[in-house]
Amino acid sequence: GWGRRGIHVTMGGLADSFYEYLLKLYLLTGMKDRRVLGMYNRAVDSMIGNLVLRTPDDTTAYLAEFKDGELRREMEHLSCFVPGMLALGAKSFDTGKNKNYNPSKALTPEEAELSAKSESHMKLAGQLLLGCVSSYDAMITELGPERFAFDETAPISQRIKVKEGRYILRPETVESIFVLYRATGEQKYREMGWRIFEAIQHHCKTECCYTGVVDVQQLPAEPNNSMQSFFLAETLKYLYLLFSPEGDAAMDEYVWTTEAHPLPIFKFDEDFDENGLILDE
């Protein structure tokens, strides 16, 4: 059905939260509701098979879109939540990262499928995050554009073409940086986050608050005189947590909503049936 006119398939705006919540509902229920995990597995398989494009050296990846029957090499900043989502799912069956996983309990088919793909999903998370960060690095302001076109086969200096140059203090890239740092402990993710924070401080800080910029390709950066609420609720929160002790807001104690509200993971003694309903003892 993707080939029909009027069909728009994307991991970005108006679709992103749905895919994220398939995984997060499974985790929020203490890894009990496997119904939504099966939906997550199918969605990620389709994304990888149809939308993911990698560079020839296999270090970096981007997410394309299908629109009106054709594959478009364009990516929204909103899609940059995907690396964090993949990393969160990949670490679900890691006893060192998720105390809610019981390795002595047999995995269901849905859980076994995700567990078998954890390594490849983790690798892809890192590749996609590099793609997102490359859109920041390619700009003279070191702030990421709202939407960009890409050519994954081109040299890094020619790979990114801006489609929408505004920067409105979005959180998705730093959200994924935070999750990958917590998942791997690799210092390079803190370094990525710090570069973005410094760019925000340099171009977006005003006497009273922070502002987005009109065009990330221009210096001096022109302020748009607007501070979105998600800047405080998400962007700064994830940057703060990136440099906080790992015990603060531990990933196996809370599930973060798409608006960065931490919800304590439920503790169910009962199990769920195939419809997501709690089974009686």
Side-chain angles (χ1 to χ4, degrees):
W2 286 22
R4 299 198 308 272
R5 290 194 62 80
I7 297 296
H8 183 197
V9 181
T10 177
M11 297 300 290
L14 304 180
D16 49 346
S17 296
F18 170 73
Y19 301 111
E20 183 178 0
Y21 278 141
L22 293 177
L23 174 65
K24 288 185 173 181
L25 184 57
Y26 167 70
L27 297 175
L28 184 64
T29 60
M31 304 178 74
K32 295 287 188 179
D33 192 347
R34 271 86 64 178
R35 172 194 54 163
V36 289
L37 182 62
M39 296 170 67
Y40 171 76
N41 287 337
R42 293 193 295 275
V44 170
D45 284 349
S46 185
M47 177 194 76
I48 293 172
N50 295 284
L51 302 180
V52 171
L53 297 171
R54 296 177 173 87
T55 55
D57 62 4
D58 201 35
T59 61
T60 309
Y62 299 91
L63 283 168
E65 298 181 349
F66 261 98
K67 194 168 185 178
D68 295 332
E70 64 179 33
L71 185 71
R72 298 189 178 184
R73 284 171 162 78
E74 294 185 11
M75 188 169 177
E76 291 180 85
H77 193 287
L78 284 164
S79 300
C80 288
F81 82 95
V82 171
M85 178 187 74
L86 290 172
L88 190 62
K91 290 299 181 181
S92 297
F93 303 100
D94 184 338
T95 54
K97 294 293 181 181
N98 187 4
K99 66 184 179 184
N100 301 302
Y101 167 53
N102 181 2
S104 65
K105 187 176 180 180
L107 298 177
T108 65
E110 297 88 354
E111 291 171 331
E113 180 181 354
L114 180 56
S115 179
K117 296 175 179 176
S118 292
E119 185 175 344
S120 63
H121 283 192
M122 196 69 217
K123 178 181 179 181
L124 178 58
Q127 293 171 325
L128 285 170
L129 183 57
L130 284 179
C132 292
V133 172
S134 74
S135 73
Y136 282 70
D137 293 340
M139 301 300 114
I140 193 169
T141 57
E142 296 188 277
L143 297 171
E146 180 74 359
R147 173 182 283 271
F148 60 92
F150 63 88
D151 179 354
E152 76 280 6
T153 66
I156 184 63
S157 61
Q158 304 170 29
R159 191 176 297 164
I160 303 296
K161 302 295 183 185
V162 173
K163 302 292 287 187
E164 294 181 36
R166 61 194 171 106
Y167 174 72
I168 59 172
L169 305 165
R170 285 203 185 276
E172 290 79 18
T173 298
V174 294
E175 173 187 358
S176 286
I177 289 172
F178 161 67
V179 176
L180 265 81
Y181 174 71
R182 286 289 181 92
T184 67
E186 293 183 27
Q187 187 65 25
K188 67 181 180 180
Y189 296 116
R190 279 183 163 176
E191 293 169 358
M192 290 177 186
W194 186 252
R195 291 201 307 273
I196 293 174
F197 175 70
E198 287 191 313
I200 292 171
Q201 286 289 95
H202 184 71
H203 298 293
C204 302
K205 187 176 181 180
T206 72
E207 292 182 1
C208 66
C209 55
Y210 286 78
T211 175
V213 302
V214 174
D215 190 344
V216 295
Q217 302 172 97
Q218 294 181 358
L219 285 179
E222 180 184 351
N224 68 6
N225 297 320
S226 175
M227 186 175 80
Q228 302 284 343
S229 61
F230 53 66
F231 176 66
L232 296 177
E234 301 179 67
T235 308
L236 283 186
K237 185 183 295 179
Y238 286 125
L239 284 168
Y240 173 80
L241 289 170
L242 177 62
F243 297 97
S244 298
E246 190 163 340
D248 291 354
M251 302 295 287
D252 57 0
E253 294 181 4
Y254 297 92
V255 168
W256 295 85
T257 72
T258 190
E259 304 301 333
H261 303 301
L263 300 180
I265 290 175
F266 302 151
K267 307 297 182 184
F268 290 113
D269 293 328
E270 303 90 345
D271 214 337
F272 285 68
D273 67 13
E274 67 275 8
N275 297 312
L277 301 174
I278 297 178
L279 297 171
D280 293 327
E281 289 283 337

